[in-house]
Amino acid sequence: MTAPPDDCLARNEWICGAYVSTRDEILTDAVVQHLQLTGVSVALALLLALPLAVLARRWRWAAGPVLGITTVLYTIPALAMFSLLLPVYGLSAALVVAGLVLYSLTLLVRNILAGLRAVPEETRQAARGLGYGPVRLLLAVELPLALPAVMAGLRIATVSAVSLVTIGAIVGHGGLGNLIYAGMNTYFKAQVLTASVLCVVIAVVADLLLLGAQRLLTPWTRVQAA
Amino acid sequence: MTTLTDAWSWLTTAAHWSGENGIGQRLVEHLFLTVVCLALSCLVALPVALVLGHLGKGGGLAVNLANAGRAVPTFAVLVLLLLSPLGPYGEWPTIIALVLFAVPPLLTNAYVGMRGVDADVVRAARGMGMTGGQTLARVELPLALPMVLTGVRIAAVQLVATATVAALAGGGGLGRIITAGFNLASTPQVVAGALLVAALALLVEGVFEGVQRLAPAGARGSGA
């Protein structure tokens, strides 16, 4: 082996500034794809979970099946979930999104339902006494009071989704997972470490942003704490 | 629909069950990986969680570890370990990655279970002259057992699920059938492998559910 120049890429080092500067475009694309996949999945899951949880709250008999089915979906491993959906979606980003939606659903439905159930009966009666109809009661009283539980579920679902997106690499739509997968096959240490660290950074930043949003949306909880 | 019937015929072909790359071998690898990692994680997490729970210290640590564990992709940890000096040592990178992944839920549940034990009961045990160790083993642990078992169940099911990821990095287990299917561009094989993995995960969940339902009854029976 000829002596490589003083270059961390040539020496295949774990931490390599030259890697980050020369591949910034690839990294940006991967981060953007990662964020898109996570964002779309969690948003869709939330859109699906809200009506499901509200239905399960309204009709007691619906709670069992809704929780049961979402739990079963959650038990199925991510790699298997992506694979089972393969005939429906083919090798596409939609496949990864569909898998992640099914995953996040359990966490969200459980938390929303727990939040709705924790709303005190007196509070609901008071709202009804003020002339609130069922829809207004839900939107103006129950959902806001359930918000801390909803946000807790949303944070867990988002952080899990960020880490699960990497497995999408098997169908070529894994965001930073693609870089990890490719780096593994080529023994490219800097790429694997950089992409892994970026994954964790995305998860932490997303968690902090959601925490911030929760604080802004639920000012009353802070008043109580003080 | 044809994919499902194709997957079914793939599954029911006897040749696919035997041999070095057969379903039987992969199933054994998968279960072996899960059991070894579950045992190791329990050995690491439970003593720490039980002692911390007994002392009432380190709750923040347990919760933060659990949250951090969720943020770190197991796949990334696995690949990082593979490329590290540990890489050439067979299954070790996979086992370490899976143990790191399973420890947080075990730790959190056992700790929360121990803290959930009624403080008056613990004080009564102390009043009866039990030492710290006796209180832990005879009072706190039996009462915390349902929560501890829930943690073990969560860890076991997640291990079955995550052991499939080992196949992405060239390891063994049922995930290998899926990745091989992808490499052969054989959708029926991918779906068949996925069905096997899903069935195993659900089976493990079901077995633990049964064990948990039996456990409190058994404890009551021996105590009477």
Side-chain angles (χ1 to χ4, degrees):
Chain A
M1 208 168 102
T2 52
D6 191 24
D7 181 322
C8 55
L9 278 173
R11 275 182 271 128
N12 195 16
E13 281 175 8
W14 285 106
I15 299 166
C16 183
Y19 170 75
V20 180
S21 55
T22 52
R23 322 277 161 125
D24 60 340
E25 227 166 281
I26 302 175
L27 283 169
T28 317
D29 286 350
V31 168
V32 169
Q33 192 189 40
H34 211 103
L35 291 175
Q36 281 173 343
L37 288 169
T38 312
V40 172
S41 310
V42 175
L44 275 176
L46 189 61
L47 279 179
L48 278 173
L50 267 176
L52 280 176
V54 169
L55 280 182
R57 173 83 184 85
R58 204 40 54 90
W59 294 303
R60 211 165 277 272
W61 57 264
V66 166
L67 283 179
I69 292 169
T70 50
T71 306
V72 166
L73 289 174
Y74 188 72
T75 308
I76 297 172
L79 187 61
M81 186 80 90
F82 292 156
S83 312
L84 280 176
L85 295 167
L86 181 65
V88 188
Y89 294 100
L91 293 173
S92 65
L95 174 70
V96 179
V97 169
L100 288 173
V101 167
L102 292 179
Y103 247 89
S104 315
L105 215 50
T106 312
L107 296 166
L108 290 173
V109 168
R110 265 179 198 279
N111 273 274
I112 298 173
L113 193 56
L116 288 176
R117 280 179 174 164
V119 176
E121 186 56 37
E122 304 92 76
T123 310
R124 280 209 305 272
Q125 278 170 356
R128 251 181 242 130
L130 285 167
Y132 279 41
V135 176
R136 205 160 148 229
L137 175 69
L138 178 72
L139 293 179
V141 178
E142 290 181 303
L143 279 180
L145 284 178
L147 209 57
V150 177
M151 290 303 285
L154 200 58
R155 283 172 64 195
I156 300 174
T158 308
V159 170
S160 309
V162 170
S163 111
L164 280 176
V165 165
T166 54
I167 298 177
I170 192 164
V171 293
H173 295 273
L176 291 161
N178 288 350
L179 297 183
I180 298 175
Y181 202 33
M184 175 186 73
N185 290 329
T186 52
Y187 219 82
F188 194 168
K189 289 178 179 171
Q191 176 158 311
V192 172
L193 185 65
T194 310
S196 306
V197 169
L198 281 174
C199 260
V200 177
V201 169
I202 290 177
V204 171
V205 170
D207 197 40
L208 289 177
L209 284 177
L210 285 172
L211 185 64
Q214 182 181 347
R215 293 200 151 202
L216 286 177
L217 287 171
T218 57
W220 61 88
T221 54
R222 260 174 301 154
V223 175
Q224 264 177 0
Chain B
M1 267 297 107
T2 49
T3 322
L4 268 187
T5 49
D6 286 350
W8 181 249
S9 56
W10 192 92
L11 271 178
T12 46
T13 307
H16 291 147
W17 282 82
S18 54
E20 208 178 310
N21 296 318
I23 298 169
Q25 173 66 21
R26 294 303 179 207
L27 198 63
V28 170
E29 284 170 2
H30 206 101
L31 287 174
F32 175 76
L33 212 52
T34 308
V35 170
V36 167
C37 293
L38 186 64
L40 282 176
S41 328
C42 286
L43 277 178
V44 172
L46 292 186
V48 175
L50 295 181
V51 169
L52 287 180
H54 175 70
L55 299 174
K57 284 176 190 157
L61 175 83
V63 173
N64 285 332
L65 256 181
N67 288 337
R70 259 192 222 102
V72 183
T74 313
F75 178 50
V77 176
L78 179 55
V79 175
L80 284 173
L81 286 169
L82 269 180
L83 300 190
S84 76
L86 265 175
Y89 295 98
E91 298 279 357
W92 280 108
T94 315
I95 293 175
I96 293 172
L98 289 177
V99 168
L100 285 177
F101 170 78
V103 161
L106 280 169
L107 204 59
T108 321
N109 271 280
Y111 181 85
V112 171
M114 289 293 282
R115 295 312 299 155
V117 174
D118 195 338
D120 289 342
V121 176
V122 176
R123 235 173 281 144
R126 197 155 298 154
M128 287 170 67
M130 282 194 180
T131 62
Q134 283 171 332
T135 316
L136 196 162
R138 294 196 202 158
V139 178
E140 288 175 305
L141 182 56
L143 289 174
L145 204 59
M147 273 301 278
V148 177
L149 275 179
T150 304
V152 176
R153 178 174 102 184
I154 295 172
V157 175
Q158 289 190 344
L159 277 175
V160 170
T162 316
T164 49
V165 175
L168 278 182
L174 286 173
R176 200 60 180 267
I177 295 171
I178 299 176
T179 51
F182 269 112
N183 291 335
L184 297 168
S186 158
T187 305
Q189 182 176 342
V190 170
V191 174
L195 285 173
L196 283 170
V197 176
L200 186 65
L202 293 175
L203 186 73
V204 169
E205 170 90 17
V207 166
F208 268 93
E209 187 125 16
V211 168
Q212 252 182 314
R213 219 162 269 182
L214 288 176
R220 246 179 279 131
S222 64

